[in-house]
Amino acid sequence: MRIDILTTFTEMFPPVLGASILGRAAQKGILEFNLCDIRQYSENKHHNTDDYPFGGGAGMVMLAQPIYSCLDAVDPEHKARRILLSPRGRTLSPEVARELAKEEHLLFLCGHYEGIDERVSCAMDEELSIGDYVLTGGELAAMVAIDCIARFIPGVLGSSESAETESFSDGLLEYPQYTRPREFEGLTVPEPLLNGNHAHIVDWQMSESLYITLRRRPEMAQAYLKGRKFTRHEQKVVNAVLERIREEDEKAKRDSEPAEETT
Ligand code: ADE
């Protein structure tokens, strides 16, 4: 996949795109990053990329001209799916990432200052947000989106790191993981992970995933429980987790009630 990145802060990207899994994917030729400095396309004599807003107000607005010239140079035939990073956009999710991972050519435009001249949006295909908060610029958002999308591109993750991990964990939070030593400062590894019985390990992982999701993201756990057909065995595991939650909640309620007078 080719990924063009239009930004006024090119220096922010190489440390992230060149490291770890993204760096390895670029070396393998699965990802090709093309950093484009918007400032180089400014026809302004000071190479400005922003100006004061019409109508007044705080901050500066990014100029349309350098962005349009940069787009013309980098993607003259509009072959890329052009994405503007913006808190106004569709929110990034695993579904959005999976969809974008199918593209051959993505282009990310990173906004800065107080905003971008609205006429730039005519040249873009969509806006993408990484969450309901405002960053100082689109660069970090672009890196988050690229990292998230890349995980769904075949070959980016090794086979043991698959983004589509065990089927049961699709839609649930991750179960806890441990590595050596078996005991660290008095803290031990849960027994099912040590006894080598693969079926028990899978049951334990599913239980823990479901338990953690019910506790931390109940709406996500409910969607998972509604949307799946379980085998008889899986249903037993699910029921045991629901029972564990019920018992814990009852105990917590009992413990929080004032003790009964015994006269
Ligand atoms: N630019 C500023 N905030 C952003 C966000 N939350 N998502 C995407 N781009 C942004």
Side-chain angles (χ1 to χ4, degrees):
M1 176 192 278
R2 172 174 153 187
I3 302 179
D4 298 328
I5 302 159
L6 278 57
T7 170
T8 46
F9 294 91
T10 51
E11 70 278 12
M12 287 176 73
F13 288 87
V16 172
L17 303 184
S20 186
I21 290 171
L22 294 180
R24 187 180 68 190
Q27 265 180 359
K28 284 204 254 175
I30 303 170
L31 297 177
E32 182 197 337
F33 298 117
N34 180 29
L35 280 170
C36 316
D37 184 359
I38 295 169
R39 191 174 301 281
Q40 287 186 1
Y41 295 87
S42 173
E43 287 166 7
N44 181 298
K45 76 170 175 218
H46 299 294
H47 290 284
N48 286 345
T49 56
D50 62 332
D51 206 337
Y52 296 100
F54 277 123
M60 305 291 272
V61 175
M62 284 179 81
L63 294 162
Q65 177 276 312
I67 295 173
Y68 268 88
S69 300
C70 189
L71 286 168
D72 282 346
V74 169
D75 180 33
E77 293 171 63
H78 196 152
K79 291 207 166 138
R81 184 148 167 192
R82 296 178 174 183
I83 299 167
L84 169 63
L85 279 312
S86 156
R88 297 197 308 199
R90 167 163 82 137
T91 309
L92 183 65
S93 66
E95 292 72 37
V96 172
R98 212 178 269 130
E99 178 199 317
L100 294 175
K102 294 187 189 129
E103 299 286 340
E104 272 176 33
H105 187 179
L106 293 178
L107 180 151
F108 290 102
L109 170 59
C110 308
H112 240 267
Y113 309 106
E114 294 306 302
I116 301 189
D117 189 307
E118 190 64 30
R119 290 165 291 189
V120 167
S121 45
C122 310
M124 304 304 292
D125 296 313
E126 63 202 78
E127 297 188 13
L128 183 69
S129 165
I130 63 160
D132 286 341
Y133 40 80
V134 181
L135 304 167
T136 54
E139 283 75 12
L140 290 171
M143 288 186 250
V144 168
I146 290 166
D147 193 273
C148 183
I149 294 163
R151 299 180 70 252
F152 291 102
I153 300 174
V156 168
L157 297 182
S159 53
S160 64
E161 306 158 330
S162 166
E164 314 286 357
T165 43
E166 303 285 334
S167 58
F168 68 74
S169 71
D170 192 16
L172 290 182
L173 301 177
E174 271 283 347
Y175 49 79
Q177 304 256 35
Y178 299 85
T179 184
R180 282 182 280 194
R182 281 171 172 242
E183 189 182 333
F184 176 71
E185 301 202 344
L187 301 170
T188 53
V189 176
E191 188 52 38
L193 298 179
L194 301 173
N195 72 18
N197 181 325
H198 184 66
H200 286 174
I201 292 171
V202 171
D203 285 354
W204 183 85
Q205 291 171 334
M206 178 182 182
S207 306
E208 290 300 307
S209 260
L210 181 57
Y211 176 81
I212 290 168
T213 314
L214 278 161
R215 283 290 182 223
R216 299 187 190 181
R217 299 286 304 275
E219 77 302 340
M220 193 189 221
Q222 292 309 336
Y224 170 82
L225 291 174
K226 260 197 189 162
R228 283 188 76 92
K229 282 235 171 307
F230 294 110
T231 63
R232 257 182 133 133
H233 178 71
E234 283 170 340
Q235 191 61 56
K236 263 179 140 175
V237 175
V238 169
N239 291 346
V241 175
L242 294 173
E243 182 59 20
R244 174 179 165 197
I245 296 256
R246 206 181 53 78
E247 282 173 8
E248 279 179 4
D249 288 352
E250 271 183 8
K251 180 172 183 311
K253 200 168 156 228
R254 274 198 310 274
D255 292 349
S256 69
E257 280 164 2
E260 262 178 44
E261 300 260 342
T262 48
T263 49

